[in-house]
Amino acid sequence: MSDVSVPDVSESVLRLVARVEEFCAAPIRETGPELTADLREVARGRNLLDLKFSEMAAAFAATDEFDREGSYSPIHWIRTNCHMTGGAAADRVAVGEQVERVPQTVEAMAGGQIGFPHLALIAREAEALVESGSEEQFDEAKLLAEAKQFSVGRFRNFCHHYRHSIDPQGYAAREAEAAQARVLNVTTGEGGMLWIRGVLDPEGGAVLLTALEPLAKRGGKADDRRLDRRRADGLVEMAVRVLDGGTLPQRGGQRPHLQVTTTLETLLQRCGAPAADLELTLPISAGAVERLACDCNVTRILLNADSQVIDVGRTTRRIRASIRRALNVRDRGCRWPGCDRPASYTSGHHLKHWIKGGSTDLPNLVLLCHRHHWMVHEGAWQMVRTEDGTYVTVPPRLDLFRQPTRGPDESAA
């Protein structure tokens, strides 16, 4: 039990909550014009409540009550006890502290001309100007005029332009602070899954999204992957391209690369063969090994019965540079129907794998992007080259217990 006594809620707050509960229990009017009018007025009332809450939050922040209750800041207490995000709590405190400096904005919000988020943005600008120590005068009228014209998103951008115009040095300093706050946490979970959590500053985020955008596009009409899945696939594809391009700094005197250790039995996909070892993660399947082995460097290492190395062969490239250049000229990109990935985002795929007797020459090779290469090997799709040089894709055989992997519709080519 806590020793902290909890004061009674004020009579005015109890009456307010009772009326709100009464309103929530009432039926909603059904016609379009009625709902339009009611929604606007409810939004205005909610904005007024947010304003009052902000004044109360600022008054609370001026006390040390948060410390007495074990919170490390007023915003932390509000976030925890009022069940809102840290940003929302900080907005309320900022509005409450700056409300006397923005009377025109408060009046416009009370009249339904703008919303509380507009007011919060203007209050933030007033707060930033005070913190910067700039001698510039805060121009509430200029901001309010734009707030009445812009949506919240567009007005937020305008506020950034305004802040830069009055305090360019401070704006640049905040950008530098944001870049210093970049963080990326990578945790290995059950089954070798990789959990990624991070924060990027606006510029870093824009760079990442710009790089991912062309890789996260749908690969045809039947590509039903969600956007988050397509972005994840795009991130892997981007990393594969960088590794293939050899543009990263060397590690241990050589290019960073995926190192796979496998037995011949695994590569031949024989029954009873173990999985292959992939550096930095859990073992991978024979199907994944076959895909990675399509276009790679191979080093033969012979072991005796006691697992001692008795011979190390010369590292050889399965698809030589000259063959790869010819592939790039012939295919120009991923040849999966409907895919528009350029050659630089593809790997050479053996239509008949070299471990099964397939040759590493042009008639037996085709360029496939990372996703479609995966679909052919792990996804059990088939890709066949016809006599006239076109390619036909065949979906996996329907299994009652497994949904086949979806691929782009051939009609989308």
Side-chain angles (χ1 to χ4, degrees):
M1 290 287 293
S2 172
D3 294 332
V4 178
S5 60
V6 179
D8 293 334
V9 178
S10 69
E11 190 67 30
S12 59
V13 171
L14 289 175
R15 287 198 302 270
L16 169 67
V17 173
R19 294 301 300 270
V20 170
E21 290 175 340
E22 179 184 343
F23 167 75
C24 290
I28 297 173
R29 299 201 293 178
E30 297 181 356
T31 67
E34 291 175 338
L35 282 173
T36 297
D38 286 354
L39 280 171
R40 286 199 180 100
E41 192 62 12
V42 168
R44 191 177 75 86
R46 186 184 62 180
N47 289 334
L48 290 172
L49 282 175
D50 267 328
L51 176 59
K52 189 65 175 180
F53 183 95
S54 299
E55 293 172 333
M56 295 169 67
F60 174 81
T63 71
D64 60 356
E65 185 65 23
F66 68 91
D67 186 53
R68 292 181 61 242
E69 294 202 14
S71 295
Y72 54 79
S73 72
I75 292 173
H76 176 250
W77 188 95
I78 295 171
R79 176 174 66 84
T80 303
N81 291 273
C82 301
H83 313 295
M84 59 178 60
T85 66
D91 278 347
R92 269 68 181 174
V93 173
V95 168
E97 291 176 342
Q98 300 297 324
V99 67
E100 293 184 358
R101 297 189 66 199
V102 291
Q104 299 174 52
T105 305
V106 171
E107 183 179 354
M109 191 200 73
Q113 295 175 285
I114 60 172
F116 180 83
H118 292 98
L119 169 60
L121 287 169
I122 293 177
R124 288 285 199 177
E125 294 309 311
E127 179 183 57
L129 186 62
V130 171
E131 292 176 351
S132 70
S134 173
E135 296 181 357
E136 291 282 344
Q137 292 294 317
F138 177 65
D139 193 347
E140 181 192 5
K142 180 178 181 179
L143 288 169
L144 179 57
E146 300 300 330
K148 292 178 180 178
Q149 301 297 322
F150 289 159
S151 65
V152 175
R154 289 188 63 191
F155 183 58
R156 179 178 288 109
N157 282 350
F158 176 84
C159 286
H160 280 279
H161 288 294
Y162 172 79
R163 189 178 303 184
H164 185 277
S165 70
I166 62 174
D167 185 20
Q169 289 80 19
Y171 193 92
R174 280 185 288 273
E175 276 187 332
E177 290 174 2
Q180 292 296 326
R182 291 177 183 173
V183 63
L184 183 66
N185 295 313
V186 180
T187 307
T188 302
E190 185 69 25
M193 300 295 284
L194 204 65
W195 296 89
I196 301 175
R197 182 180 182 182
V199 175
L200 292 178
D201 60 296
E203 180 184 346
V207 170
L208 179 63
L209 289 175
T210 300
L212 283 178
E213 183 181 9
L215 300 175
K217 294 190 301 184
R218 294 192 183 277
K221 293 181 179 179
D223 185 356
D224 57 0
R225 294 174 299 161
R226 298 187 318 181
L227 178 60
D228 55 355
R229 164 69 191 280
R230 284 182 275 126
R231 281 179 173 165
D233 288 347
L235 185 63
V236 173
E237 191 171 348
M238 187 162 54
V240 168
R241 186 190 184 200
V242 173
L243 288 175
D244 286 346
T247 56
L248 291 174
Q250 290 193 347
R251 184 180 65 184
Q254 59 182 335
R255 288 168 44 185
H257 59 279
L258 289 178
Q259 180 172 312
V260 181
T261 304
T262 180
T263 65
L264 185 60
E265 288 77 13
T266 301
L267 197 54
L268 290 170
Q269 300 190 25
R270 289 180 176 169
C271 292
D277 290 315
L278 177 60
E279 190 180 24
L280 302 180
T281 188
L282 298 180
I284 59 175
S285 68
V289 174
E290 185 183 69
R291 170 173 51 83
L292 292 171
C294 260
D295 189 2
C296 68
N297 290 324
V298 177
T299 302
R300 174 180 54 82
I301 300 177
L302 297 182
L303 308 176
N304 64 13
D306 297 323
S307 297
Q308 294 180 333
V309 177
I310 59 176
D311 179 63
V312 179
R314 180 182 177 185
T315 298
T316 58
R317 179 73 184 174
R318 295 312 307 175
I319 299 180
R320 300 189 307 275
S322 58
I323 295 292
R324 176 62 199 227
R325 286 194 294 269
L327 262 177
N328 290 350
V329 171
R330 188 196 71 184
D331 291 351
R332 299 186 179 182
C334 179
R335 292 302 301 272
W336 193 278
C339 186
D340 59 359
R341 291 286 194 270
S344 56
Y345 279 85
T346 62
S347 299
H349 167 66
H350 290 74
L351 295 171
K352 182 179 181 181
H353 204 276
W354 54 267
I355 196 65
K356 299 174 183 176
S359 61
T360 304
D361 53 22
L362 281 175
N364 190 46
L365 294 171
V366 63
L367 292 182
L368 291 177
C369 68
H370 177 76
R371 176 174 180 255
H372 292 129
H373 203 185
W374 184 94
M375 288 173 60
V376 169
H377 289 279
E378 288 96 330
W381 280 72
Q382 295 182 50
M383 191 169 193
V384 181
R385 187 170 186 263
T386 63
E387 292 183 358
D388 62 359
T390 60
Y391 293 92
V392 176
T393 55
V394 182
R397 185 178 59 184
L398 182 62
D399 190 320
L400 294 177
F401 301 99
R402 184 174 70 88
Q403 187 69 23
T405 307
R406 294 290 299 273
D409 191 338
E410 294 174 24
S411 64

